[in-house]
Amino acid sequence: MNFTLKIWRQKDANSVGRFVEVSARGIRPEMSFLEMLDVVNDEVTQAGGEPVAFDHDCREGICGACSLVINGEPHGPNEKATTCQVYMRSFRDGETITVEPFRARAFPVLKDLVADRSAFDRIIQAGGFVSVNTGQAPEANAAPIGKEVAEKAFDSAACIGCGACVAACKNSSAMLFVGAKIAHLGRLPQGQPERAQRARAMVARMDAEGFGNCTNQYECQAVCPKGVTVANIAWMNRDYLAASLKKIFTG
Amino acid sequence: MGVPRGARDTLGKLPEKLLRRGKHLLAFPLRGRGLIFQTARGFVFMKTLWQLLRSSLGRKYLMAATGLLLVGFVVVHMLGNLKAFSGADALNHYAHLLKSRAWALWVFRAGLLAIALVHVGCGITLALENRRARPQPYVRLKTIQASVASLSMLGSGLVVGAFVLFHVLHLTVQVGGFQEYAKLKSPIADAPGILQALAPVEPGRSYPDVYEMIVHAFSVPWIVLVYLVGVGALGLHLSHGFQSVFQTLGWRSDAAGPFLTGLARVLALAIVLGMASVPAAVLCGFLR
Ligand code: FES
């Protein structure tokens, strides 16, 4: 298969970027999108050019390192798949494919297709610790957690922090990510002691990072590679309100 | 806690939790009587409240709460309008009731204005932040499932705001060429009922003739057009705004989502039809 790629190239964080057309030739349909970029980079390097920088790590859809907005969709056209799990058979032979980095003020582009998503790390840091006793692994039945609760907490914990929610949001809001993190620990008994403090700190950090504000359009849920739903945002909305009122009235 | 031990045991776990919380809340003004402590406590109170209200979520809560109140007002307003279909006396008597206690009317108007200003203020600051949150736009970003209404909230909101301004100048303040409306007066026939009990009318006295006013007002096609556009924008705004309230206040679950979307659309349609019916009926000669 052959493709024409319209790729965003940007020298560094302080430069102005622009689109560059690159052709990808001899691509096999079973290659992933990232493998296709590897092939292109091989050619670019052999021709003495600078390879296109892009983020990747596990290449099996579990780490959240890969990104890219492909033809206007974060992580490309496939539902519930990361870019590393999108295969070239999903595209038409000869197609022109637009490839952009995730764009948000809180995710500045460092080079080409690499956006700095460390704002997410700082939100996680703001969340602080969870009080868990050290020592031996706890006995599995010591903290009974109902199946329903466990399943829901796991659904929230499925978030891999890739940032596609921010990339897809018309307002560059990070509320699906933050909601998933707050709901994940907030649903479990281990998360209770610091629950209110965590909700307030993470939301404050999210605001400080310069993300936008959710307008309940749910584009984030539609692109999330892990199927994290906006019920997590509703959870965050509830939890943050309760935490703030608690702090206001009981100090 | 003043609950005897035995009673507490029978109360079970949940009430005990509530009692503990209750004690916490009630003790708040009394804990630490010292002036310094109280001042510090007040400072934390104000600071946390301020943090809440200026945060992204805090302003979203304000949007949702004020939006809900405004929806309530719109529904009552619409039901009042529909009195036009019960005839001139019904509408005029209802209008007389609203105006019969001037202080209540002005308190209500001031409250409504404050609510609307909070709604608009939060909406505009949030929207400006959203613009700033992506300085470099995409050349291409697909819209996967966001509704037209959700994408045009700022626009539809501004149209509604402009329309409300026009409407108030037109029928409430009656500026410019609309001053003649104030001269329309007629006696109200004595109809026993709740209206009569709340705001009795004196026989032989003349009251503002609201019915005649709307017949005059809505006989002019361009005015009816302005009202239809305003009400249409309101419907669009509510079809997204009303369901948003539930999500923002944390009352929406994934399972309830489609139901809430449907509910908001039905409500928006009902309001559009109810509000548009009076001007349309006048223009078509049905109300005269
Ligand atoms: S590279 Fe790890 S999820 Fe794609």
Side-chain angles (χ1 to χ4, degrees):
Chain A
M1 298 175 93
N2 299 314
F3 301 97
T4 307
L5 304 178
K6 257 180 77 186
I7 292 192
W8 183 261
R9 304 282 330 239
Q10 183 171 332
K11 197 162 146 275
D12 54 40
N14 301 318
S15 315
V16 181
R18 67 196 171 87
F19 280 98
V20 173
E21 287 212 357
V22 189
S23 53
R25 284 183 302 265
I27 303 297
R28 292 206 309 273
E30 67 272 21
M31 280 181 176
S32 77
F33 201 86
L34 298 186
E35 284 162 343
M36 182 273 294
L37 287 179
D38 290 338
V39 171
V40 169
N41 271 345
D42 267 352
E43 279 183 29
V44 170
T45 319
Q46 268 161 29
E50 173 89 8
V52 180
F54 61 90
D55 267 325
H56 63 104
D57 189 15
C58 71
R59 298 208 176 195
E60 56 183 5
I62 56 170
C63 75
C66 57
S67 58
L68 309 187
V69 174
I70 303 164
N71 284 341
E73 285 182 273
H75 290 305
N78 297 7
E79 239 178 76
K80 294 194 189 163
T82 51
T83 294
C84 58
Q85 300 286 290
V86 168
Y87 298 93
M88 297 318 290
R89 56 177 173 264
S90 308
F91 299 87
R92 266 181 298 106
D93 194 12
E95 190 177 342
T96 301
I97 305 173
T98 311
V99 192
E100 287 182 81
F102 283 0
R103 295 194 193 278
R105 183 159 66 115
F107 285 173
V109 173
L110 296 177
K111 185 180 165 70
D112 298 338
L113 302 172
V114 178
D116 177 2
R117 287 168 283 175
S118 54
F120 271 13
D121 301 336
R122 291 189 290 276
I123 293 174
I124 295 290
Q125 280 166 10
F129 54 83
V130 177
S131 297
V132 184
N133 289 338
T134 53
Q136 278 189 324
E139 206 274 313
N141 294 320
I145 301 170
K147 179 161 171 61
E148 173 115 338
V149 174
E151 295 275 347
K152 283 196 166 156
F154 190 77
D155 287 347
S156 304
C159 169
I160 53 176
C162 65
C165 43
V166 175
C169 177
K170 308 287 181 200
N171 315 313
S172 313
S173 168
M175 290 192 188
L176 188 64
F177 168 77
V178 180
K181 297 305 171 193
I182 290 178
H184 162 202
L185 290 172
R187 289 184 198 277
L188 295 173
Q190 293 89 336
Q192 297 313 307
E194 298 85 13
R195 179 171 163 187
Q197 179 201 330
R198 180 168 49 244
R200 294 188 66 237
M202 290 180 91
V203 170
R205 188 71 235 170
M206 169 184 80
D207 286 354
E209 292 291 346
F211 290 103
N213 311 299
C214 176
T215 48
N216 306 335
Q217 287 164 335
Y218 313 148
E219 294 286 286
C220 50
Q221 170 179 305
V223 301
C224 178
K226 295 295 151 186
V228 175
T229 71
V230 295
N232 289 283
I233 302 183
W235 170 286
M236 170 183 71
N237 293 343
R238 220 164 39 231
D239 227 30
Y240 180 76
L241 184 60
S244 299
L245 293 179
K246 191 175 162 202
K247 171 95 177 156
I248 287 171
F249 288 109
T250 65
Chain B
M1 241 179 309
V3 185
R5 200 164 169 61
R8 231 198 294 168
D9 288 342
T10 51
L11 276 174
K13 239 182 174 169
L14 184 71
E16 191 173 340
K17 219 168 141 191
L18 288 177
L19 277 178
R20 234 183 306 138
R21 289 228 178 120
K23 187 181 121 207
H24 224 47
L25 281 177
L26 293 177
F28 144 65
L30 303 174
R31 242 191 307 155
R33 312 247 169 116
L35 183 66
I36 293 178
F37 181 89
Q38 285 296 348
T39 314
R41 189 68 198 80
F43 182 74
V44 172
F45 178 91
M46 291 310 292
K47 191 176 150 219
T48 321
L49 186 64
W50 179 239
Q51 277 174 350
L52 169 66
L53 292 184
R54 64 188 283 271
S55 69
S56 55
L57 291 186
R59 279 172 296 150
K60 273 169 64 64
Y61 301 144
L62 285 177
M63 290 289 290
T66 52
L68 203 56
L69 292 172
L70 291 170
V71 170
F73 167 73
V74 164
V75 168
V76 173
H77 189 325
M78 179 192 79
L79 294 176
N81 292 359
L82 294 179
K83 285 227 170 269
F85 291 103
S86 316
D89 280 334
L91 186 66
N92 290 344
H93 202 160
Y94 176 66
H96 169 61
L97 165 73
L98 297 185
K99 294 197 171 180
S100 58
R101 287 166 189 82
W103 63 269
L105 183 66
W106 281 104
V107 167
F108 183 82
R109 282 173 173 169
L112 199 59
L113 181 67
I115 289 168
L117 287 180
V118 169
H119 191 75
V120 173
C122 289
I124 287 179
T125 60
L126 288 168
L128 286 177
E129 282 172 21
N130 291 348
R131 294 244 163 127
R132 275 204 300 273
R134 182 167 292 143
Q136 167 92 51
Y138 290 104
V139 285
R140 189 164 169 213
L141 182 65
K142 267 193 196 157
T143 295
I144 299 165
Q145 48 93 55
S147 64
V148 175
S150 75
L151 292 167
S152 54
M153 286 304 273
L154 186 61
S156 59
L158 291 175
V159 171
V160 171
F163 166 67
V164 167
L165 210 61
F166 174 83
H167 169 57
V168 168
L169 292 175
H170 175 216
L171 292 184
T172 311
V173 187
Q174 302 166 334
V175 292
F178 306 124
Q179 267 165 5
E180 51 172 311
Y181 295 153
K183 293 181 208 126
L184 299 171
K185 298 224 187 248
S186 76
I188 296 173
D190 202 5
I194 182 120
L195 281 175
Q196 183 64 346
L198 288 172
V201 290
E202 293 164 32
R205 217 184 110 188
S206 278
Y207 295 91
D209 193 343
V210 174
Y211 188 87
E212 204 50 37
M213 173 176 82
I214 61 163
V215 169
H216 274 242
F218 297 136
S219 310
V220 187
W222 74 264
I223 287 190
V224 174
L225 188 69
V226 169
Y227 274 75
L228 292 184
V229 169
V231 166
L234 178 64
L236 195 66
H237 199 72
L238 291 188
S239 73
H240 178 69
F242 186 67
Q243 56 175 314
S244 260
V245 169
F246 297 90
Q247 170 76 356
T248 299
L249 296 181
W251 301 333
R252 181 189 183 277
S253 67
D254 289 332
F259 168 74
L260 292 174
T261 305
L263 184 71
R265 292 194 176 150
V266 168
L267 178 87
L269 190 67
I271 286 177
V272 169
L273 291 179
M275 286 284 195
S277 62
V278 175
V282 172
L283 193 68
C284 300
F286 186 71
L287 289 178
R288 61 179 93 213

